[in-house]
Amino acid sequence: MADVSLKEAALIVGVVAACYWNSLFCGFVFDDVSAILDNKDLHPSTPLRNLFQNDFWGTPMSEERSHKSYRPLTVLTFRLNYLFSELNAVSYHFLNLVFHVVVCIVFLKVCKLFLDNRSSVVASLLFAVHPIHTEAVTGVVGRAELLSSIFFLAAFLSYTKSKGPDNTIVWTPIAVTVFLVAVATLCKEQGITVVGICCVYEVFIAQGYTLPALLDTAVQILRGKGSIPFSMLQTLLKLIVLMFSTLLLVVVRVQVIQSQLPVFTRFDNPAAVSPSPARQLTFNYLLPVNAWLLLNPSELCCDWTMGTIPLVESLLDVRNVATLTFFCFLGSLMVFSLRYPGDSSKTVLMALCLIVLPFIPASNLFFPVGFVVAERVLYVPSMGFCILVAHGWKKLSNKSVLRKISWVCLAAVLFTHALKTLHRNWDWESEYTLFMSALKVNKNNAKLWNNVGHALENEKNFERALQFFIQATQVQPDDIGAHMNVGRTYKNLNKTKEAEESYMIAKSLMPQIIPGKKYAARVAPNHLNVYINLANLIRANESRLEEADQLYRQAISMRPDFKQAYISRGELLLKMNKPLKAKEAYLRALELDRTNADLWYNLAIVYIELKDPTEALKNFNQALELNPTHKLALFNSALLMQESGDARLRPEAKQRLLHYVKEEPQDSNGYFNLGMLAMDDKKDTEAEAWMKKAIRLQPNFRSALFNLALLYSQTGKELMALPVLEDLLRYYPDHTKGLILKGDILMNQKKDIAGAKMCFEKILELDPSNVQGKHNLCVVYFEEKDLIKAEKCLVETLALAPHEEYIQRHLSIVRSKIASIGSMEQSSLPSDGTAATEAKKKSFQNLKEAKSEKTTTQSTADNKDHSKNKKPTEKSNVDKETPKKSAKEIKDIEKKRVAALKRLEEIERILNGE
């Protein structure tokens, strides 16, 4: 076996780099989104065992919606990429490029088994530059083809070493082959087909049999005129071992998919659900279509589903000529390779094996597949095609007449293929460029119109996206997904009526339930989302909540394992104030998926509604155990700890908020609540810093502005609070508590009675029944020495709050003051009266400060509670009500209220001369 020289390897590396360097600038497109961006199996927090329990897209194999593509080793390489560069697309594309180089070099070594050195290099170079490979190399999910091909070829090379001297069996290479076949199969399913190639190699290449010789031997044995040769017995033994290992792999694979085939719709593969003879004629026609793509890769398309290739429904269809021609050509090559001995026959035979056998899983021969044509599945079959071309080129170049022209043609093919590959790579730069390039090739595929619409939708270009979605419905009027896309886009454009009409059309296209037939087997799981989308739309109308709930229940009845239906229904039930039923819905969803952090988070919100903070915190913690960076769980669990009043939980609450602001550095809510925690811990400087940071991010942050001003007023920095309050009232002129605090500071610190009066009068303009504002205005009247007006004001205040004892006492004090002044005017001792007036004025000043302190304390408690409202849930669109004050806050308010009343009693004793 000839080895690959350093020069040959360097040549291949250079050619591949020249053809695929621009693939490094491509992003994640098409299937990459599901396999990479949305696949939680890539995250280090996901247990490694999940890779062997889930399919290629991260869906548990046990779920019916699973694609059943079991490729854990490929996903493992994605996970390694994520470990080193997370979602940096460059590293993923670079590793694909490296794997393609490895495949080309190993393929060169395989070619040298059947071709001379020069022809082997030609075959390898043609394989390296062939444009059909761009989907496998430039598309990240194509790595499954690359990895499987490496082990596929390695397994074959290992098997070629199983023949020892004198035709003995060498078992070690066979054992290595079986192991490599298993590895190749764990990268992609078609890896198992290398066993068939090994069998053909053993019989026709290693043992040198031809089909006539085998038939002659079989006839002689059946007639009793001979026995089975020993060499043939050895061959049979090796084949039995290979076939048994293959059977074992197949059994394991069937067990992994739990004997269930994936669910595909007629849109994915129309021929698979067509009646005879359309099904057979179309499937046979697809073979020459794939062959033509290898021969002339000028028009490549990323998606060949739906109406790309119309069904061949009649024997009179002219396309049957192409099918007949293809089978005649293939048959002639097979007859030549099996009937005649010689190196040329062996080369053609192995080339045909590489073309045919790896393609069988995608041929719909044994089971339907989810596509019509897929360019990436031609990666391995193209090896056989390249060997055939190189072998034919060798025959031509050996003839002196055709030598020059054969070299010119070879150079032209390699150059044009390389240019096509380089140009094709740019199509994979983004989803928009990819699907627009596909529409140039085929305009009869509604899925392509939909995908361009999705790309525009991701760019928030809804108007233009809508045009493509509508075009998709015109190309394929019965495409449920297209009508759902139209509805969703109308919703994004706030055209609710049009959105509902589109969803209703999609719903009407759903297959009707057939008694005794499993519904899920006849519809794609994602099509059931039409019920979810329609329900989510109409539940915005409070009068249609029951109708929305009916849609969710209908989706669940059709598919009891439809997890999203339970989640969405749970959200609705919360909105309908039915937390117990919402709890049941979320618990049912958790039975289907206990690894979903969002479900545990939503269940925590339900327990908050049920006034069970302990259970809520447990569920928040469970969500964070599954996803330590779950932002809303971090935020809301920290608030729950803070509101508990348990000082032991504050350090953990602070750590979670710090983690949250690390994940969301631009969210002012995180910094604000860190400030509130610091205020609870009496860390005034730290609280001030966090509040200022929140305000820098959001200058109009209502609660942050007020609480920063409040912090200043509580720490003896009242004058620093004033500019903050000015900012607050500029943004929110009707902020009652801000006006009260500003009025208190103006009256107590700046002695600006007029300014304070304006604040309190503004409060009463906004809310004439505001007791605090009214009472403080009474204090202003007293400060202005208008005792009659003060008395009248307090009478009106008492009418607003007849049960407030402190107002009654203050009214009594003012009336005593009026009576005292009246008697003093009749007294002959004015100096004593002046002294009494001064004493009583001072006492009333104390009364004002005591009341001001009480007012401020209530404002603090009220606003701190208001500021800690929970953020809307991520997976639950339920608006949360403002939670009530914690027990600790209520106790603090009560203590300060008692203190204020004690001070009032002292004032009364002074006024009464006790």
Side-chain angles (χ1 to χ4, degrees), residues 636-666:
N636 286 294
S637 63
L639 296 191
L640 199 60
M641 292 176 177
Q642 185 180 0
E643 291 172 1
S644 70
D646 189 344
R648 294 172 298 177
L649 295 177
R650 286 181 192 164
E652 178 61 22
K654 182 177 180 181
Q655 289 302 314
R656 292 190 182 187
L657 285 173
L658 288 171
H659 194 169
Y660 175 78
V661 297
K662 182 180 178 182
E663 295 292 326
E664 288 286 343
Q666 298 303 312

Side-chain angles (χ1 to χ4, degrees), residues 771 794-808:
V771 176
L794 284 169
V795 170
E796 293 172 354
T797 307
L798 186 61
L800 294 173
H803 302 295
E804 288 290 349
E805 188 180 353
Y806 74 91
I807 299 176
Q808 296 174 1

Side-chain angles (χ1 to χ4, degrees), residues 500-617:
E500 184 173 350
E501 289 174 356
S502 296
Y503 285 141
M504 291 301 293
I505 294 173
K507 182 172 174 285
S508 68
L509 293 171
M510 294 289 288
Q512 298 301 310
I513 296 177
I514 300 174
K517 187 169 183 181
K518 195 172 183 181
Y519 186 88
R522 299 181 295 110
V523 64
N526 63 308
H527 284 172
L528 283 173
N529 284 325
V530 66
Y531 295 96
I532 307 300
N533 294 347
L534 181 57
N536 289 345
L537 178 70
I538 66 176
R539 78 182 194 186
N541 186 339
E542 295 290 337
S543 65
R544 302 181 69 183
L545 297 183
E546 289 293 343
E547 185 181 347
D549 188 34
Q550 177 63 30
L551 286 167
Y552 292 136
R553 284 185 278 129
Q554 186 175 356
I556 291 170
S557 67
M558 291 178 174
R559 194 179 185 92
D561 64 344
F562 192 13
K563 180 179 63 181
Q564 187 56 47
Y566 292 105
I567 295 173
S568 298
R569 185 166 186 249
E571 297 167 2
L572 176 66
L573 291 168
L574 274 178
K575 187 174 182 179
M576 297 171 70
N577 197 26
K578 297 179 179 179
L580 288 175
K581 288 188 176 181
K583 176 183 171 183
E584 292 177 5
Y586 285 133
L587 289 175
R588 180 69 181 94
L590 281 171
E591 290 176 9
L592 300 171
D593 183 7
R594 299 190 65 81
T595 62
N596 189 322
D598 294 321
L599 277 175
W600 291 103
Y601 171 80
N602 284 0
L603 188 57
I605 298 299
V606 171
Y607 279 115
I608 289 176
E609 289 293 316
L610 292 171
K611 305 295 187 294
D612 191 346
T614 303
E615 282 298 318
L617 189 56

Side-chain angles (χ1 to χ4, degrees), residues 98-100 102-103 106 145-155:
V98 170
F99 286 145
H100 183 53
V102 174
V103 173
V106 179
E145 315 289 338
L146 306 177
L147 282 173
S148 180
S149 298
I150 291 173
F151 295 107
F152 179 102
L153 295 174

Side-chain angles (χ1 to χ4, degrees), residues 302-497:
C302 62
D303 193 316
W304 295 79
T305 56
M306 303 188 98
T308 304
I309 299 176
L311 296 174
V312 181
E313 298 180 299
S314 169
L315 290 172
L316 300 178
D317 193 310
V318 69
R319 290 174 292 175
N320 290 318
V321 175
T323 305
L324 186 62
T325 303
F326 171 78
F327 277 107
C328 288
F329 180 72
L330 184 66
S332 62
L333 287 178
M334 291 182 66
V335 169
F336 170 76
S337 60
L338 292 173
R339 185 171 183 178
Y340 302 104
D343 293 338
S344 181
S345 298
K346 294 178 180 179
T347 302
V348 172
L349 178 61
M350 292 311 299
L352 289 176
C353 287
L354 282 169
I355 292 173
V356 174
L357 295 180
F359 186 75
I360 287 177
S363 66
N364 293 280
L365 181 61
F366 297 108
F367 47 81
V369 294
F371 53 83
V372 178
V373 173
E375 293 166 11
R376 62 177 175 269
V377 304
L378 294 175
Y379 189 77
V380 175
S382 68
M383 295 178 184
F385 172 78
C386 292
I387 290 176
L388 274 181
V389 172
H391 183 59
W393 174 83
K394 173 188 171 185
K395 295 289 186 182
L396 292 175
S397 62
N398 285 338
K399 297 180 179 180
S400 58
V401 179
L402 300 174
R403 183 172 300 158
K404 289 185 179 180
I405 194 170
S406 65
W407 278 99
V408 171
C409 290
L410 175 64
V413 168
L414 291 176
F415 181 72
T416 55
H417 276 39
L419 280 181
K420 174 64 177 178
T421 298
L422 190 67
H423 182 264
R424 175 65 173 160
N425 288 334
W426 289 122
D427 290 341
W428 291 81
E429 184 178 11
S430 68
E431 292 208 320
Y432 179 77
T433 57
L434 178 64
F435 298 126
M436 285 300 291
S437 70
L439 281 176
K440 294 176 183 177
V441 175
N442 172 35
K443 290 181 170 59
N444 296 322
N445 186 340
K447 193 173 179 181
L448 294 176
W449 294 99
N450 280 321
N451 285 333
V452 175
H454 287 311
L456 292 168
E457 188 180 29
N458 292 336
E459 298 173 359
K460 308 300 181 184
N461 191 346
F462 297 122
E463 291 284 358
R464 192 153 174 245
L466 182 61
Q467 297 174 9
F468 282 88
F469 289 142
I470 291 176
Q471 182 63 35
T473 63
Q474 293 172 354
V475 171
Q476 189 87 34
D478 58 350
D479 182 6
I480 298 172
H483 290 286
M484 290 169 61
N485 292 335
V486 172
R488 186 182 61 254
T489 309
Y490 274 131
K491 182 182 178 183
N492 290 331
L493 291 170
N494 296 318
K495 296 182 178 181
T496 307
K497 181 180 178 182

Side-chain angles (χ1 to χ4, degrees), residues 608-627:
I608 289 176
E609 289 293 316
L610 292 171
K611 305 295 187 294
D612 191 346
T614 303
E615 282 298 318
L617 189 56
K618 287 180 182 178
N619 284 278
F620 279 138
N621 292 338
Q622 184 66 35
L624 290 171
E625 184 177 334
L626 293 167
N627 181 10

